């Protein structure tokens, strides 16, 4: 079905808006905007005694908290972006993967973490894991920049596993 | 800006509903695990590893990107296609560990043709898994299938006919 001119323009504007949504985020700007919004919305700051208005502000304040957490965390941000671009796989999907290379690496890492005994060993593992996470996030930034969503999805899966490994290390430390 | 943040908050709420890495002891305070799950988590059967390169070993390595779980299930198969031993190693939540533990128990003594008919719903029922953990039992079902696929591929590559055919040939010789 050929889109009408109105539909085409609307779709075009939507695409333009999407194009402005990058993976990269200015962390300081994000924090600043968050604080500004909370200053306006926080229920304690509202002088109005109208319960409806206060409830409204409380809801919006909650949304803003959730949104801040999503945008602050690279993994959550990446999932969110993929969803916005129509990748229903935004959560990594319900499915099972069998990528042998990735899964063997994950197994080995998790095994090393499990077997680690000393504080030093765990810190070393954390150091390595953090470096991998940084590289992965950097590659993800490039992938999103090029709109290479297939690659972005692969990297999101990798980041998911790196994050879980990081959590496992933290649990032991 | 607020519109974008609202989308993000929605995405975040959905993601929090999925797999979480909690120990049963903590989970009991929030949502009790079924006693079968606790049993398999605290006394997992068949944790271990067989040599990957052993000609009689099939290895199934699967992952669930949605929660960063990874599951390795191995089978030792005799010439007739009977699973004489099995073991697993799973990194993930209690339900994932319990599912793979149950799987390794159930497949011992069965043939590789029989075990591919084991359904994730059987495992889930045995463990009374809540809907949000059903994918853990699915992972176990997929791990069984992957292990069988591996041993079959190994035997085909070694030029051996499938066991059933071999027996038939021997009987009619």
């Amino acid at each position: 079905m050929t889109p009408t001119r109105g539909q085409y323009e609307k779709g075009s504007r939507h695409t333009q808006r999407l194009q402005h949504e990058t993976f990269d985020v200015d962390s300081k700007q994000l924090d600043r905007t968050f604080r500004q919004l909370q200053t306006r919305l926080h229920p304690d700051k509202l002088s109005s005694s109208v319960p409806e208005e206060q409830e409204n502000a409380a809801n919006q304040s909650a949304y803003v908290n959730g949104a801040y957490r999503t945008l602050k965390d690279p993994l959550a941000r990446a999932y969110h972006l993929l969803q916005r671009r129509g990748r229903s796989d935004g959560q990594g999907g319900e499915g099972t993967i069998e990528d042998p290379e990735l899964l063997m690496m994950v197994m080995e890492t998790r095994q090393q973490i499990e077997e680690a005994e000393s504080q030093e060993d765990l810190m070393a593992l954390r150091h390595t894991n953090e470096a991998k996470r940084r590289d992965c996030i950097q590659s993800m930034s490039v992938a999103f920049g090029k709109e290479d969503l297939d690659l972005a999805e692969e990297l999101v899966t990798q980041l998911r596993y790196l994050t879980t490994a990081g959590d496992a290390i933290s649990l032991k430390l | 800006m607020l519109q974008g943040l609202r989308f993000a908050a929605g995405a975040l709420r959905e993601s929090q509903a999925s797999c979480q890495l909690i120990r049963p002891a903590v989970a009991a305070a929030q949502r009790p695990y079924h006693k079968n799950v606790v049993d398999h988590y605290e006394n997992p059967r068949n944790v271990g590893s067989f040599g990957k390169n052993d000609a009689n070993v099939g290895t199934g390595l699967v992952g669930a990107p949605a929660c960063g779980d990874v599951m390795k299930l191995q089978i030792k198969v005799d010439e007739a296609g009977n699973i004489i031993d099995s073991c697993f190693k799973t990194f993930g939540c209690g339900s994932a560990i319990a599912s793979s533990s149950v799987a390794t128990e159930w497949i011992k003594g069965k043939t590789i043709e029989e075990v591919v008919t084991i359904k994730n719903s059987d495992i889930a029922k045995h463990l009374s898994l809540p809907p949000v953990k059903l994918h853990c039992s699915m992972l176990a079902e997929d791990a069984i299938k992957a292990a069988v696929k591996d041993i079959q591929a190994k035997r085909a590559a070694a030029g051996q006919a499938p066991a059933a055919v071999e027996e038939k040939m021997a009987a009619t010789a």
Side-chain angles (χ1 to χ4, degrees):
Chain A
M1 190 187 96
T2 331
T4 65
R5 185 174 161 163
Q7 285 173 329
Y8 178 78
E9 280 176 0
K10 195 175 180 193
S12 183
R13 274 200 298 279
H14 182 64
T15 309
Q16 280 172 12
R17 244 199 311 258
L18 277 184
Q19 278 170 350
H20 283 123
E21 289 176 3
T22 61
F23 172 72
D24 306 320
V25 153
D26 179 339
S27 197
K28 290 198 170 65
Q29 175 66 43
L30 178 67
D31 289 345
R32 223 176 297 134
T33 309
F34 173 65
R35 280 194 297 269
Q36 284 167 359
L37 280 170
Q38 287 298 32
T39 305
R40 273 175 27 211
L41 293 171
H42 201 283
D44 291 352
K45 305 268 183 161
L46 273 186
S47 51
S48 164
S49 58
V50 177
E52 198 179 80
E53 225 176 88
Q54 285 190 328
E55 192 185 323
N56 217 21
N59 287 337
Q60 296 205 337
S61 180
Y63 277 135
V64 168
N65 282 337
Y68 176 68
R69 277 197 299 271
T70 298
L71 294 174
K72 192 81 179 161
D73 171 35
L75 187 58
R77 198 188 324 141
Y79 277 141
H80 175 61
L81 271 184
L82 285 171
Q83 255 175 353
R84 295 270 290 164
R85 279 157 172 74
R87 293 275 169 144
S88 60
D89 237 19
Q91 286 289 338
E94 299 288 310
T96 304
I97 60 166
E98 286 191 49
D99 180 346
E101 211 181 290
L102 170 66
L103 293 176
M104 272 195 269
M105 186 214 72
V106 172
M107 275 251 96
E108 205 183 293
T109 307
R110 295 301 300 269
Q111 228 134 275
Q112 285 173 339
I113 297 168
E114 193 181 63
E115 288 161 12
E117 312 221 300
S118 67
Q119 205 68 346
E120 287 89 37
D121 287 347
L122 286 166
M123 289 307 287
L125 284 169
R126 170 178 273 176
H127 188 76
T128 310
N129 200 61
E130 281 302 301
K132 286 187 187 165
R133 276 191 84 239
R134 275 195 302 272
D135 286 344
C136 188
I137 290 166
Q138 177 56 34
S139 302
M140 218 186 277
S141 169
V142 172
F144 273 115
K146 291 190 297 191
E147 282 297 313
D148 185 347
L149 298 185
D150 288 335
L151 179 56
E153 272 187 334
E154 261 180 56
L155 291 166
V156 155
T157 301
Q158 276 179 42
L159 186 59
R160 189 61 180 96
Y161 279 110
L162 289 168
T163 304
T164 308
D167 292 342
I169 296 169
S170 298
L171 270 174
K172 276 194 91 168
L173 272 173
Chain B
M1 174 77 187
L2 197 59
Q3 197 56 37
L5 292 178
R6 276 216 191 96
F7 274 114
L12 184 67
R13 271 198 297 280
E14 274 173 55
S15 76
Q16 282 174 341
S18 67
C19 226
Q20 287 177 324
L21 184 66
I22 5 175
R23 295 173 191 276
V26 173
Q30 304 166 9
R31 170 179 51 78
Y33 278 90
H34 189 268
K35 64 170 162 56
N36 282 347
V37 177
V38 176
D39 182 28
H40 279 276
Y41 185 87
E42 296 192 340
N43 309 300
R45 334 294 199 238
N46 315 312
V47 175
S49 222
F50 300 142
K52 251 186 74 98
N53 297 319
D54 186 326
N56 297 316
V57 167
T59 301
L61 184 58
V62 294
C67 38
D69 287 353
V70 60
M71 188 184 285
K72 181 178 74 168
L73 188 145
Q74 291 180 300
I75 51 179
K76 224 172 234 174
V77 185
D78 70 12
E79 311 236 305
N82 298 306
I83 295 171
I84 55 181
D85 201 3
S86 82
C87 67
F88 80 97
K89 188 68 197 158
T90 295
F91 291 103
C93 64
S95 299
I97 292 168
S99 296
S100 38
S101 175
V102 165
T104 55
E105 277 211 304
W106 284 5
I107 63 182
K108 276 195 204 177
K110 294 202 167 79
T111 66
I112 52 180
E113 286 86 20
E114 282 178 285
V115 300
V116 295
T117 65
I118 292 175
K119 294 248 109 254
N120 68 307
S121 45
D122 302 325
I123 300 173
K125 194 165 167 206
H126 181 76
L127 295 170
S128 295
L129 294 182
V132 69
K133 293 294 186 180
L134 285 181
H135 66 277
C136 297
S137 60
M138 192 66 229
L139 197 58
E141 182 192 315
D142 290 338
I144 293 172
K145 292 190 159 86
V148 167
K149 209 166 72 176
D150 185 48
I151 190 70
Q152 286 176 329
K154 269 184 180 172
R155 293 207 162 151
Q160 290 177 25
V165 178
E166 223 165 25
E167 266 179 33
K168 230 184 208 172
M169 280 163 59
T172 55

